[in-house]
Amino acid sequence: MPELPEVEVSRQGISPYLQNQQLVKVVARQRQLRWWVPDEVLAQLNQPILSVTRRAKYLLIQLPQGDIIMHLGMSGHLKVLPVDTPATKHDHIDFVLNNAMLLRLNDTRRFGAVLWQQKGELHPLLASLGPEPLSDNFNLAHLTAAFAKRASAAKLVLMDNHVVVGVGNIYANEALFKAGILPSKPAKAVTAAQLAKLLPVIKDTLAAAIKQGGTTLKDFSQADGKPGYFAQQLLVYGRGGQPCLSCNETLTEIRLGQRSTVYCSHCQQ
DNA sequence: AACGTGCCCTGAACGC
DNA sequence: TGCGTTCAGGGCACGT
């Protein structure tokens, strides 16, 4: 499940292979993704690739006339391969380049998406997003204001893309544990001291994951490259019923907003 | 506006 | 062995 670090690592991985290449065409074997580009857009994609950027968990392949927007959903991953590489199961989309290579999107569960935004326009999906977690716009004042007016559980507010982007279920669990905040605690009841702890925890955890992934995954043109996956120390996620690594208390698992939530009732308040 | 729920999808892990 | 059921999750759409 690609979270923001995996998406950023993917961006860094594919970027050198795409930048300054000409995008020749898009081959779609499976259009039944979460969203798909209109046909008339596909016809105009024979353009040079200027750069590959990221906003939240969306990748943007920037062309002179606009941006291809890609989301990896739950199970999507990208590879750069020789153009004649046979497609295997769940290889849905190929972005064919003029250097005999292609960018291939494989997405088992098809929660991923491919969209288009015309140059100078902002796609509605990107228009109302909160700040990037690693940017200065995501600061204590912003976090405090967002939490102050919400009665929902702290974890749900943290995962709200209008508050901050890119904090998925795993990182929300981990960050709240590290900050000592009970996931179910009403956001408005979270103390100033807890928020002051939470902010750097989010930034540090995401930054460390990107750094680690960046060193682990260097060559996205290898067929056995594993973008969207890197080893990390998970303190609570997936460890419900097991002992807390800090105090040895048994970790509690509940569901919040239909998502698995794990915490230590001793360390988190 | 804020909040809760449903939905999309496949494959792994389970129960009978 | 072979079914059927449950679960995983991002994020929008919708109803209240």
Side-chain angles (χ1 to χ4, degrees), chain A residues 91-242:
Chain A
D91 283 343
H92 302 318
I93 313 294
D94 288 346
F95 298 87
V96 181
L97 311 175
N98 69 334
N99 62 349
M101 303 291 278
L102 56 76
L103 175 70
R104 177 165 287 171
L105 171 65
N106 178 293
D107 184 7
T108 305
R109 293 184 187 171
R110 292 198 260 129
F111 275 32
V114 178
L115 291 162
W116 171 258
Q117 73 182 2
Q118 203 70 31
K119 185 166 180 62
E121 294 179 2
L122 189 56
H123 195 284
L125 285 177
L126 306 184
S128 61
L129 293 175
E132 286 289 323
L134 295 176
S135 76
D136 291 340
N137 291 332
F138 182 52
N139 52 41
L140 199 50
H142 174 83
L143 188 63
T144 302
F147 270 57
K149 60 184 177 185
R150 301 284 295 271
S152 301
K155 177 161 175 271
L156 297 179
V157 175
L158 195 54
M159 292 176 67
D160 183 343
N161 277 342
H162 300 99
V163 174
V164 60
V165 301
V167 181
N169 194 43
I170 294 175
Y171 285 99
N173 276 293
E174 296 297 308
L176 288 170
F177 173 76
K178 290 181 184 177
I181 300 169
L182 206 59
S184 57
K185 188 172 192 169
K188 60 169 71 168
V190 176
T191 67
Q194 287 180 315
L195 290 175
K197 201 167 181 180
L198 179 60
L199 183 78
V201 158
I202 293 169
K203 289 176 182 278
D204 293 349
T205 305
L206 291 174
I210 291 170
K211 192 175 179 184
Q212 186 180 353
T215 57
T216 307
L217 310 164
K218 62 280 181 201
D219 193 349
F220 273 63
S221 70
Q222 297 296 317
D224 61 352
K226 289 190 168 67
Y229 185 96
F230 49 88
Q232 58 177 311
Q233 181 74 19
L234 295 176
L235 302 178
V236 288
Y237 180 79
R239 297 194 63 247
Q242 298 178 42

